[in-house]
Amino acid sequence: MGETSSVENEFDDWFIESLKIYNNIHEYQLEHPTRVIEWTSEKTICVAGYSSDKNEILELLLPLKLFTDDNQGLCAERDFKVVHGGFSDGSIHCLKHIPGTRYIIVAIDYVTSFCCHELSSSNCCFLLRCVVTNDGFNSNLQVWDLGGDDCDVIKRTGVLQLKSASSDKGVKIAPGLTGGPCVLHGSQISDIQLTELTSGKPLYSMGKDIPDLLSSLQFVSGSVFLACACNGDLYVGDTRNPAGLQNNPAGGRKGVHWCMGVKTDLSSSDPSSCSVARLSSACQVVVSDLRDLRAPLCQAQLHVQRKTTSDDFMKVTWAPALDNCLAVSGFDGMVQIYDTASWRPELMEFQPLFIHRGHMMSDDQFDTSSAVVTTHVWHPSRPRTVLSAAVDGSVHVWDWVDKATASC
C-alpha cells in the first residue's frame, strides 16, 4: 500500500511540474512501437513500426494547437492526425525522407532491374513524394510513395537489391542534399555507396577495404559526408573523390558502441563549420568539428543511469535552432537536453538542462524500469520543440520551457 502511494505521488508531482515546464505536450499511441521519426514537412512526420509482424507506416500531422500562439485564441485541433498510411510486411529500422517535395521518376529500367514489381512497366513516369527504408536485417532499400492530395495510401514502389558484406546488420541511410534524388548507404565503412534512385546506378563507392561496422552516416555538404563507425572512429569522405577517405580514430575512448549527431550549416559553403557529437555506450559525449576531429572541443560524462543493456536505441542530436544544445536518448525512459556551452576539453560530469520524463508515465503510473525511449528528433525550426517515441508505442511532441528565460 505504501509503495503504491509513493508511485501515485511521483506521478502527481510530475503532472503538476509538467504544467510549468512545458508550453505544449501531446501524445499519440501507435499499434507497434517505432524507432524512426522523420520530418516530411514543417508540420508532418513519418513513423513506422519495427515489430517482426506486419507494421504500419504512417504520415502524421502534428496537433495544430502546437503551432497556435496563445494570443490567437483557442484551437480545436489538439490531436495527431493520420494523413497518409500503409503497411510494411516487415520491420522498419531506418527511414529517410528524400528532400524535395515531389519529383518525377522516369525509368522503365528501374522497374525491371530493381524488382519494383508493384509498378506497371507500361508507365514510364511516376510522381513521388518518397521515403527510403531498410528493415535492419539485410541490405535492400525499399522506396515508398507517401501519397498526395488525391491519395491517402502509402505504397511501396520499389526495392533496390544491394550487396553488402554485413547485410544481416541492415544499412544506414543518408539522403543526398543536392542534385537528383539519391541516397548514401552502407552497413560497414567499406561498402558505403551513393545510389541514384531514378536508375539504381551507383554514383560513388568506397575505394578502401575497411570492415568496421557503420553506426551513423550524414552529408555535411553537397558532396562531403561523415561516417561514424561503431568503435567511435570518424571518417570524412567526398563523393567526388572515392580514394580521398580520411580516418580519424576515436583514440581509445571509453565505450564499446558509438553513434554521432551532426549540426550542419547548409547556408555555408565550408563543411568545417559543422559540429560533431559522438555518444558512447558509456554515456560520454565528445564534441569536435571537421577542422580537427581527433581533438575534442569539449566532452562530458552524462548524468544517466542505464536501464537497458541494448545499444540499439542510442541517439544524440543537435538542436537546429538553438546554439550549443543537444539531446540524448536510448538509455532509459528519458530524453535529456544538455547545454554544451559550459563543457570543457577535460572529461567532467554535467547535469542536463532539461529532462523529458513523459514516457515513464503509463496508465497514471510512474514506470522507471521498462520504459526506454527509442528515438527523438528536434523540430527543424521551432527552437524547443522535440518529438520522441518509446517501446510502449507512445509518440510525444513537447515544447519545453527554458527556465532561465521564463524567470526573466
Side-chain angles (χ1 to χ4, degrees):
M1 184 72 177
E3 184 178 348
T4 301
S5 177
S6 175
V7 171
E8 289 177 350
N9 288 338
E10 282 186 291
F11 179 85
D12 291 341
D13 291 344
W14 177 86
F15 180 78
I16 294 171
E17 182 189 24
S18 70
L19 301 176
K20 304 175 184 176
I21 63 176
Y22 296 101
N23 289 317
N24 278 289
I25 180 169
H26 304 270
E27 179 179 356
Y28 185 81
Q29 189 64 39
L30 297 169
E31 182 179 356
H32 296 295
T34 184
R35 57 187 296 166
V36 293
I37 302 176
E38 182 77 357
W39 291 102
T40 55
S41 75
E42 285 279 313
K43 297 182 180 180
T44 55
I45 57 171
C46 190
V47 298
Y50 62 86
S51 74
S52 57
D53 300 323
K54 198 170 189 178
N55 289 279
E56 289 182 315
I57 176 169
L58 304 172
E59 187 176 29
L60 301 176
L61 175 67
L62 270 59
L64 296 184
K65 172 63 178 174
L66 191 69
F67 303 94
T68 303
D69 295 334
D70 291 338
N71 59 5
Q72 291 182 327
L74 296 175
C75 176
E77 300 296 340
R78 296 172 177 266
D79 298 320
F80 286 80
K81 280 190 174 182
V82 177
V83 289
H84 298 95
F87 291 94
S88 168
D89 291 331
S91 62
I92 293 179
H93 282 217
C94 188
L95 182 152
K96 295 295 179 182
H97 178 238
I98 305 303
T101 305
R102 295 176 185 271
Y103 57 80
I104 297 289
I105 283 184
V106 185
I108 292 180
D109 289 342
Y110 172 67
V111 176
T112 57
S113 299
F114 288 86
C115 302
C116 298
H117 53 272
E118 299 90 342
L119 301 179
S120 168
S121 60
S122 62
N123 297 323
C124 64
C125 65
F126 306 92
L127 185 63
L128 294 178
R129 192 170 58 93
C130 89
V131 295
V132 176
T133 66
N134 176 260
D135 65 6
F137 302 105
N138 60 54
S139 60
N140 294 342
L141 300 180
Q142 294 81 36
V143 183
W144 301 80
D145 179 2
L146 288 178
D149 297 336
D150 58 344
C151 179
D152 60 4
V153 179
I154 297 177
K155 298 178 181 178
R156 194 181 74 172
T157 57
V159 178
L160 277 71
Q161 295 182 333
L162 308 168
K163 293 182 179 180
S164 170
S166 303
S167 60
D168 60 329
K169 303 294 184 182
V171 299
K172 306 302 178 184
I173 307 170
L177 300 179
T178 58
C182 58
V183 289
L184 192 69
H185 52 86
S187 61
Q188 59 184 34
I189 300 298
S190 60
D191 60 31
I192 293 176
Q193 177 178 301
L194 182 67
T195 301
E196 185 180 52
L197 288 180
T198 54
S199 64
K201 295 179 181 178
L203 304 176
Y204 163 89
S205 58
M206 191 65 65
K208 297 184 179 181
D209 183 16
I210 304 173
D212 295 343
L213 288 177
L214 186 63
S215 68
S216 310
L217 189 63
Q218 185 171 334
F219 274 103
V220 297
S221 72
S223 59
V224 177
F225 66 87
L226 269 175
C228 181
C230 291
N231 63 9
D233 287 0
L234 281 177
Y235 295 83
V236 183
D238 192 322
T239 56
R240 299 167 299 185
N241 180 17
L245 188 70
Q246 301 174 23
N247 180 15
N248 300 272
R253 299 192 186 281
K254 197 175 175 183
V256 296
H257 183 85
W258 291 76
C259 63
M260 76 170 181
V262 182
K263 184 171 185 177
T264 57
D265 182 4
L266 297 181
S267 63
S268 172
S269 58
D270 182 10
S272 66
S273 61
C274 78
S275 298
V276 185
R278 276 175 287 179
L279 171 67
S280 84
S281 54
C283 305
Q284 293 181 0
V285 173
V286 178
V287 177
S288 50
D289 63 31
L290 285 184
R291 288 168 292 191
D292 187 1
L293 289 171
R294 300 185 184 219
L297 295 176
C298 59
Q299 55 185 323
Q301 179 68 50
L302 305 184
H303 187 68
V304 175
Q305 294 182 348
R306 294 199 60 160
K307 301 296 184 182
T308 175
T309 57
S310 172
D311 300 323
D312 291 347
F313 302 134
M314 279 173 44
K315 190 166 187 179
V316 56
T317 60
W318 288 97
L322 277 180
D323 291 335
N324 305 313
C325 279
L326 56 78
V328 172
S329 66
F331 298 113
D332 53 20
M334 300 183 287
V335 181
Q336 295 193 349
I337 295 172
Y338 289 84
D339 183 356
T340 65
S342 61
W343 291 8
R344 302 174 183 176
E346 303 81 21
L347 184 63
M348 298 178 61
E349 183 171 316
F350 287 89
Q351 298 293 320
L353 177 67
F354 184 88
I355 303 176
H356 175 61
R357 296 184 174 91
H359 292 287
M360 296 192 297
M361 307 301 144
S362 176
D363 298 326
D364 295 342
Q365 292 185 357
F366 196 71
D367 178 12
T368 60
S369 58
S370 61
V372 177
V373 172
T374 56
T375 190
H376 72 267
V377 294
W378 294 83
H379 190 278
S381 60
R382 295 175 61 87
R384 295 178 180 84
T385 299
V386 183
L387 280 99
S388 53
V391 293
D392 63 352
S394 60
V395 176
H396 292 179
V397 57
W398 36 284
D399 190 69
W400 56 282
V401 174
D402 183 354
K403 294 180 180 180
T405 303
S407 62
C408 295

